[in-house]
Amino acid sequence: MADLVQFIDSKIEKNPVFLLGNEAIARGAVEAGIEFASSYPGTPSSEVGETLSHVADKLGIKFLYSVNEKVALESAFAASISGMRSLVFMKHVGLNVASDPFVSIVYTGTRGGLVIMTADDPSMFSSQNEQDNRHYADLAHIPMIEPSNPQEAKDFVKAAFELSEKYHIPVLFRTTTRVSHMRGPVNVGEIPKIKGTRRVFERDPERFVSLPVNAIGLKKMLMEKLGEIAVESDMSFMNKAQSNMVSEIGAITSGSGYNSLMDAVASHSIEIDVLKIGFTNPLPRGMIAEFLRKHDKVVIVEELDPYMEEKIRAIAQINGIRTRIYGKLDGYFPLVYELNPDAVLQSLARILNMPGYIQGKSPKTGVDLPPRPPVLCPGCPHRGTYYVVKRSVRMSNIKNPIYASDIGCYSLGTYDPFDEADTLISMGSSIGVANGFSMVTDQKVIAFIGDSTFYHSGIPPLINAVHNNLNMLVIIMDNGTTAMTGQQPNPGNELDYNGKPVTGIPIEDVVRGIGVSNVSLLDPYNLKESFATINRSLHQTGVSVIISRRECAIIRDRKLRKNGEIEIYTVNQDKCGKCMNCVENFSCPALFIEKGEIQINPSICDGCGVCAEPLVCPFNAIEVKK
Amino acid sequence: MTYNIRLAGVGGQGIITAGNIISEAAMRSGQKVIMSEIHGLSQRGGSVTVDVRIGDCYGPIISQSSCDLVIGLELIETFRAIESFENVGTALMSTEKINPISLSMHKKEYPCLEDLMEKYGMGTRIYPVEAGEIAMEAGSSKAVNIVMIGVALGLNLFPMTADEVVYVLKDTFPEKKLGINMKALELGIALSGRMKTNIRENSTIQNRSS
């Protein structure tokens, strides 16, 4: 992408640059002079890493994709207390994984600025929940900053580093999907030269060793620090009252909610004063009290939970302010999903009594266009694995198998025709829940987990299963990459994001090291042998592991296309018996039916050739296109 | 005032690239632009939309009632985009068909354009474009996105000039791919000239002869 290439070269005279929110965060961090960054990829935060990985080496920044978010945060913490400005970023649920060190490093504090970016996903575009990570700010007593657009994302990240360094405290930087994935004009600033030298860690065990004897004092100091930071919030440029205080009505808002509010009021010429909050923990209490006093009615416009609203109502109560406050707690705004200008307008119309704007129902109903849910790519190795497992289970006459799935592209195995997911909760939960199922049911338990997810969180539950003599078949679908978030590397790889050699850790060594004796390898492009392997494993007791290994089709295609080596397939209509097995049960997106005949779309076929195998096409009708 | 564009298609069709080109060109013409990219679960093969908002606006979400232009790179996805708004000013629709597996899996065939038009096309000014053929003529089936940009430019559906788009194309594509994309843009613009005539003559929404 053009902006990635130009990223470093984007000089001030080129302003503004058209950046994605996440690219702007990366740019802001670079302008703040970070020397260390780490992450575990997760939508909607992944592009921060995409961007940094392109420029880190050139700028002398140490960047790494960590095995999981906890390790990423701990590494960044170490860089910070060694004196480097450090950035760590993850998706919202990633902070759950990192939450253990997260809470305690706020007590110990930091040295070089440490910013922890978390990207929430209201409306769950690509997540299993829409948890509101602002609550983590309260849980950990950590300052929090929230931008509304790419320009703010860049500017506020810089401010976050300043704040972190001034108070020796990590700062939580929270975005949502709409901010992270919104592209807009950004005026960029200078990129400073960083030291890029190695540091000497100066020990201070009373701070950095969180034994109770130290933690007890640190907690008190933290609360004092937070008091000072509250004063900072009241003076921050990130909190701003807009308009001339002409209106009886005010709105207090933040993040993406601000954009929806502004678009709603602009398009309907609604007069309202706005207090926009970018520094959301501690809230600017003085500023809010003043704003409340100046208005008869104040509307709180925020996404997900009534996080600010509860605090603002408390501010009003403490200060004896009788302003009428409207929000989620009294039912004016929805408690679920992201806001949009239409939804905000609906709520405002009720509050401001504008009957003309209130809609009875949502406008479009009865649309029955064929759905196009995300699918496994053409050539995806997971298709072969799922196809064969389903057949083997059926052929082995296994009744009521339990399929425990996990987070990654292979989550799509939940869709028809595979329908091979009964649970899917969190990273590594496939093997985790398989432990429990094995203990309380007599059903065959099959856990599907990807390579990256296995390294991330699959190893402890596998240890648990072996140690406790449980029964399960674990299928590790090893496509050699963290595919769903954009092909980031993982510990199985021999090369890092930059093509530099690193030590690949073979999954089979890990599995055998844990004590699994039944370990098999298969190639999901070879259906016949895969079938035999899976059949055998299905009849074993104890913990069996199958590693289904084949490179991600996107990576494979990229290589093959570059060399012009793709051989695509076609259906020989003379041979086709029209059994429809390929479209019904294998269901590659390249296969379709036209005028009763099965066809292969040549612009979609990636030439994997798996559909040509007799286990899919018993008539041998699928052939290489001449 | 804001000019709101929704680009719709299937993952892999170059929708984000198209959105970037339109946005960068609008920025070059001195306007404020916001673009939304929602990367869903799918790497390839799922429905993808990109929204471009040109003018004075804050967020990337287009209101139900204010979509000025839909550019669909695929038939079903064009109608899905049209259906997601209360009303749409104009829709440019590539007649490319990419079969969703939800159809073939249940032994169903891709619906025909006429049926789709009848069911979902009423009340919207829709311009069907044989963008696939034109892209091939330009040198690559992948250039459908640029053909569509050319058609939109030719029909004066963008608040910017062809020169501004050309500048961005040169900035976006490497030497090797620039020729094909420039050609795709030219052919798209040329086609729009013929389309205008057709629309005027028929003055119906069901103009399929282009």
PDB file of all heavy atoms in Angstrom, chain A residues 27 84 104 151 190 203 254 301 329 437 477 583:
ATOM      1  N   ARG A  27       2.222   5.924  13.448  1.00  0.00           N
ATOM      2  CA  ARG A  27       2.957   7.150  13.128  1.00  0.00           C
ATOM      3  C   ARG A  27       3.179   7.990  14.392  1.00  0.00           C
ATOM      4  O   ARG A  27       4.278   8.505  14.636  1.00  0.00           O
ATOM      5  CB  ARG A  27       2.174   7.951  12.075  1.00  0.00           C
ATOM      6  CG  ARG A  27       2.739   9.318  11.769  1.00  0.00           C
ATOM      7  CD  ARG A  27       3.910   9.251  10.810  1.00  0.00           C
ATOM      8  NE  ARG A  27       4.623  10.523  10.743  1.00  0.00           N
ATOM      9  CZ  ARG A  27       5.475  10.855   9.780  1.00  0.00           C
ATOM     10  NH1 ARG A  27       5.731  10.003   8.811  1.00  0.00           N
ATOM     11  NH2 ARG A  27       6.085  12.004   9.789  1.00  0.00           N
ATOM     12  N   MET A  84      13.369   2.752  27.630  1.00  0.00           N
ATOM     13  CA  MET A  84      12.882   3.004  26.265  1.00  0.00           C
ATOM     14  C   MET A  84      11.402   3.352  26.264  1.00  0.00           C
ATOM     15  O   MET A  84      10.625   2.783  27.019  1.00  0.00           O
ATOM     16  CB  MET A  84      13.075   1.758  25.402  1.00  0.00           C
ATOM     17  CG  MET A  84      14.506   1.430  25.088  1.00  0.00           C
ATOM     18  SD  MET A  84      14.568  -0.064  24.076  1.00  0.00           S
ATOM     19  CE  MET A  84      16.320  -0.116  23.696  1.00  0.00           C
ATOM     20  N   SER A 104      -0.646  -5.079  37.656  1.00  0.00           N
ATOM     21  CA  SER A 104       0.447  -4.895  38.604  1.00  0.00           C
ATOM     22  C   SER A 104       1.498  -3.887  38.141  1.00  0.00           C
ATOM     23  O   SER A 104       2.129  -3.236  38.968  1.00  0.00           O
ATOM     24  CB  SER A 104       1.108  -6.247  38.905  1.00  0.00           C
ATOM     25  OG  SER A 104       0.162  -7.085  39.523  1.00  0.00           O
ATOM     26  N   GLN A 151      -6.423  11.761  12.987  1.00  0.00           N
ATOM     27  CA  GLN A 151      -5.573  12.882  13.415  1.00  0.00           C
ATOM     28  C   GLN A 151      -5.394  12.852  14.931  1.00  0.00           C
ATOM     29  O   GLN A 151      -4.278  12.968  15.444  1.00  0.00           O
ATOM     30  CB  GLN A 151      -6.202  14.227  12.995  1.00  0.00           C
ATOM     31  CG  GLN A 151      -5.369  15.446  13.397  1.00  0.00           C
ATOM     32  CD  GLN A 151      -4.097  15.582  12.574  1.00  0.00           C
ATOM     33  OE1 GLN A 151      -4.148  15.685  11.348  1.00  0.00           O
ATOM     34  NE2 GLN A 151      -2.942  15.554  13.233  1.00  0.00           N
ATOM     35  N   GLU A 190       7.386  15.693  12.691  1.00  0.00           N
ATOM     36  CA  GLU A 190       8.746  15.189  12.484  1.00  0.00           C
ATOM     37  C   GLU A 190       8.949  13.852  13.192  1.00  0.00           C
ATOM     38  O   GLU A 190       8.372  13.604  14.248  1.00  0.00           O
ATOM     39  CB  GLU A 190       9.769  16.187  13.049  1.00  0.00           C
ATOM     40  CG  GLU A 190       9.754  17.553  12.409  1.00  0.00           C
ATOM     41  CD  GLU A 190      10.478  17.593  11.070  1.00  0.00           C
ATOM     42  OE1 GLU A 190      10.910  16.519  10.590  1.00  0.00           O
ATOM     43  OE2 GLU A 190      10.596  18.696  10.507  1.00  0.00           O
ATOM     44  N   ARG A 203      18.583  -1.455  38.653  1.00  0.00           N
ATOM     45  CA  ARG A 203      17.674  -2.190  39.537  1.00  0.00           C
ATOM     46  C   ARG A 203      17.066  -1.289  40.611  1.00  0.00           C
ATOM     47  O   ARG A 203      17.672  -0.320  41.063  1.00  0.00           O
ATOM     48  CB  ARG A 203      18.359  -3.419  40.125  1.00  0.00           C
ATOM     49  CG  ARG A 203      19.558  -3.168  40.999  1.00  0.00           C
ATOM     50  CD  ARG A 203      20.335  -4.468  41.181  1.00  0.00           C
ATOM     51  NE  ARG A 203      19.503  -5.522  41.745  1.00  0.00           N
ATOM     52  CZ  ARG A 203      19.434  -5.796  43.059  1.00  0.00           C
ATOM     53  NH1 ARG A 203      20.130  -5.088  43.934  1.00  0.00           N
ATOM     54  NH2 ARG A 203      18.672  -6.781  43.500  1.00  0.00           N
ATOM     55  N   SER A 254     -17.477  10.939  23.714  1.00  0.00           N
ATOM     56  CA  SER A 254     -16.078  10.547  23.499  1.00  0.00           C
ATOM     57  C   SER A 254     -15.991   9.572  22.332  1.00  0.00           C
ATOM     58  O   SER A 254     -16.998   9.028  21.891  1.00  0.00           O
ATOM     59  CB  SER A 254     -15.516   9.873  24.760  1.00  0.00           C
ATOM     60  OG  SER A 254     -16.169   8.643  24.953  1.00  0.00           O
ATOM     61  N   VAL A 301     -23.373  10.769  25.300  1.00  0.00           N
ATOM     62  CA  VAL A 301     -23.332   9.952  24.081  1.00  0.00           C
ATOM     63  C   VAL A 301     -22.051   9.125  24.091  1.00  0.00           C
ATOM     64  O   VAL A 301     -20.961   9.644  23.853  1.00  0.00           O
ATOM     65  CB  VAL A 301     -23.407  10.827  22.807  1.00  0.00           C
ATOM     66  CG1 VAL A 301     -23.462   9.955  21.563  1.00  0.00           C
ATOM     67  CG2 VAL A 301     -24.614  11.756  22.854  1.00  0.00           C
ATOM     68  N   LEU A 329     -28.597   4.664  31.253  1.00  0.00           N
ATOM     69  CA  LEU A 329     -29.183   4.140  32.488  1.00  0.00           C
ATOM     70  C   LEU A 329     -30.681   4.412  32.553  1.00  0.00           C
ATOM     71  O   LEU A 329     -31.419   3.684  33.208  1.00  0.00           O
ATOM     72  CB  LEU A 329     -28.474   4.747  33.711  1.00  0.00           C
ATOM     73  CG  LEU A 329     -27.016   4.308  33.886  1.00  0.00           C
ATOM     74  CD1 LEU A 329     -26.322   5.138  34.945  1.00  0.00           C
ATOM     75  CD2 LEU A 329     -26.944   2.827  34.253  1.00  0.00           C
ATOM     76  N   PHE A 437     -14.847 -31.768  28.853  1.00  0.00           N
ATOM     77  CA  PHE A 437     -15.741 -32.725  28.171  1.00  0.00           C
ATOM     78  C   PHE A 437     -15.250 -34.150  28.390  1.00  0.00           C
ATOM     79  O   PHE A 437     -16.029 -35.070  28.615  1.00  0.00           O
ATOM     80  CB  PHE A 437     -15.813 -32.426  26.674  1.00  0.00           C
ATOM     81  CG  PHE A 437     -16.679 -31.248  26.326  1.00  0.00           C
ATOM     82  CD1 PHE A 437     -16.229 -30.266  25.443  1.00  0.00           C
ATOM     83  CD2 PHE A 437     -17.957 -31.117  26.863  1.00  0.00           C
ATOM     84  CE1 PHE A 437     -17.026 -29.184  25.107  1.00  0.00           C
ATOM     85  CE2 PHE A 437     -18.768 -30.032  26.533  1.00  0.00           C
ATOM     86  CZ  PHE A 437     -18.303 -29.066  25.658  1.00  0.00           C
ATOM     87  N   MET A 477      -4.015 -27.420  13.270  1.00  0.00           N
ATOM     88  CA  MET A 477      -4.066 -27.082  11.848  1.00  0.00           C
ATOM     89  C   MET A 477      -2.975 -26.066  11.568  1.00  0.00           C
ATOM     90  O   MET A 477      -3.145 -24.866  11.773  1.00  0.00           O
ATOM     91  CB  MET A 477      -5.461 -26.573  11.509  1.00  0.00           C
ATOM     92  CG  MET A 477      -6.516 -27.650  11.820  1.00  0.00           C
ATOM     93  SD  MET A 477      -8.160 -27.004  11.953  1.00  0.00           S
ATOM     94  CE  MET A 477      -8.795 -27.373  10.328  1.00  0.00           C
ATOM     95  N   VAL A 583     -19.765 -29.636  -4.779  1.00  0.00           N
ATOM     96  CA  VAL A 583     -20.381 -28.371  -4.371  1.00  0.00           C
ATOM     97  C   VAL A 583     -21.060 -28.485  -3.004  1.00  0.00           C
ATOM     98  O   VAL A 583     -21.020 -27.559  -2.203  1.00  0.00           O
ATOM     99  CB  VAL A 583     -21.396 -27.827  -5.413  1.00  0.00           C
ATOM    100  CG1 VAL A 583     -20.683 -27.220  -6.594  1.00  0.00           C
ATOM    101  CG2 VAL A 583     -22.381 -28.882  -5.842  1.00  0.00           C
TER     102      VAL A 583
END
